[in-house]
Amino acid sequence: MSSKLLVANWKMNPQTAAEAIQLARAIDKKNVVIAAPFVYLANLKLKIKNSELCAQDVFWQEKGAYTGEISPMMLKKLGVEYVIIGHSERRVLGETDEIINKKIKAALSVGLKIILCVSEKKFIQNQIRKDLKGIKIINLIIAYEPTWAIGTGKADTQENSKKVLNFIKSLFKDKLKVLYGGSVNSKNAAGFLNMFDGLLVGNASLNAKEFGKIIKDAHFRN
Ligand code: PGA
């Protein structure tokens, strides 16, 4: 069985570069992917040895007059390996499937690995169809994150998440890694790790001790 992947999604945290470096060093282990704010990525690249870096978003154009945007190649050249695209916290701010589709194409074209977030089962097939329109599936990981489970302390049940996992796997003929995300903590991580190829962890990834326990659990299986 392939190794479990743990993605630490820091979102808009921590508030200083010094804290970011301290936290990254504490969780700098193999098969750990750190999704840090853009402004910390270059610095973190110099400080980490075992983990890999992930951006939390990317723009779809190569270069030019796009104030405030970051291109896929900028990330690639920095040594960033992954990018999260289509997180529900961005979808609610207006990111459409069409935008997500453009971002995925642009990111794949420079060789970034994509973590595509999808939400509840009833939306997944449609999201996947639109988000991946015209795309040959390479370097793609799907993260199943029911919106009601994100940041609420209420993770999905084993039973339901297993059903959704099987559904997603069947859409891709079992060829893709599928992660679970949504209120993962050190207590419920084992259950999800038993089924999924890894975890996308928000809140709990900001606490080195708590995330450390999840890392131990995942590495124990690798
Ligand atoms: P959470 O966030 O673990 O804090 O629920 C997960 C995510 O949004 O990726």
Side-chain angles (χ1 to χ4, degrees):
M1 206 170 76
S2 67
S3 338
K4 303 286 179 184
L5 194 69
L6 294 182
V7 185
N9 181 11
W10 289 355
K11 310 188 181 185
M12 205 166 67
N13 301 292
Q15 303 313 307
T16 66
E19 287 171 275
I21 291 165
Q22 193 182 18
L23 181 56
R25 280 191 166 139
I27 63 172
D28 183 14
K29 296 279 179 331
K30 254 186 104 204
N31 300 317
V32 169
V33 173
I34 303 174
F38 286 130
V39 290
Y40 302 143
L41 290 170
N43 214 339
L44 291 182
K45 187 68 196 173
L46 304 173
K47 310 284 181 190
I48 56 172
K49 292 193 181 73
N50 304 300
S51 50
E52 293 176 295
L53 287 177
C54 180
Q56 298 174 12
D57 184 31
V58 70
F59 196 53
W60 63 82
Q61 293 286 1
E62 275 174 41
K63 60 181 173 185
Y66 302 103
T67 304
E69 300 293 356
I70 305 286
S71 78
M73 191 51 94
M74 289 175 187
L75 296 172
K76 186 72 186 171
K77 289 262 165 77
L78 213 59
V80 171
E81 283 92 355
Y82 291 83
V83 58
I84 295 174
I85 298 182
H87 193 283
S88 66
E89 285 160 7
R90 298 199 56 82
R91 290 184 192 255
V92 293
L93 290 177
E95 186 147 306
T96 63
D97 290 306
E98 289 68 30
I99 292 174
I100 290 167
N101 180 260
K102 286 201 262 188
K103 289 183 173 182
I104 295 174
K105 282 180 180 156
L108 282 176
S109 75
V110 304
L112 287 167
K113 297 176 196 164
I114 316 291
I115 299 168
L116 171 64
C117 298
V118 297
S119 57
E120 287 86 304
K121 185 165 185 284
K122 59 182 174 189
F123 301 122
I124 290 177
Q125 196 154 8
N126 209 16
Q127 286 174 336
I128 285 177
R129 187 174 54 77
K130 290 183 176 166
D131 297 349
L132 297 178
K133 196 168 169 212
I135 292 168
K136 208 169 135 246
I137 314 293
I138 40 163
N139 282 344
L140 187 83
I141 294 166
I142 302 281
Y144 161 54
E145 294 206 307
T147 43
W148 51 263
I150 295 175
T152 58
K154 274 197 211 143
D156 199 0
T157 61
Q158 299 288 297
E159 203 188 356
N160 190 57
S161 59
K162 171 108 190 145
K163 271 190 210 148
V164 181
L165 170 67
N166 290 339
F167 174 63
I168 297 173
K169 290 261 180 192
S170 72
L171 292 177
F172 293 101
K173 304 198 176 67
D174 218 9
K175 287 205 178 96
L176 288 193
K177 275 196 175 179
V178 182
L179 314 180
Y180 170 79
S183 295
V184 171
N185 57 40
S186 64
K187 295 204 175 70
N188 63 23
F192 293 113
L193 284 169
N194 282 338
M195 304 185 281
F196 286 79
D197 301 303
L199 305 169
L200 180 50
V201 187
N203 247 325
S205 73
L206 294 168
N207 178 327
K209 213 167 148 199
E210 176 75 357
F211 196 62
K213 286 185 194 164
I214 301 175
I215 294 175
K216 275 212 181 94
D217 210 330
H219 280 197
F220 176 68
R221 295 149 199 271
N222 288 338

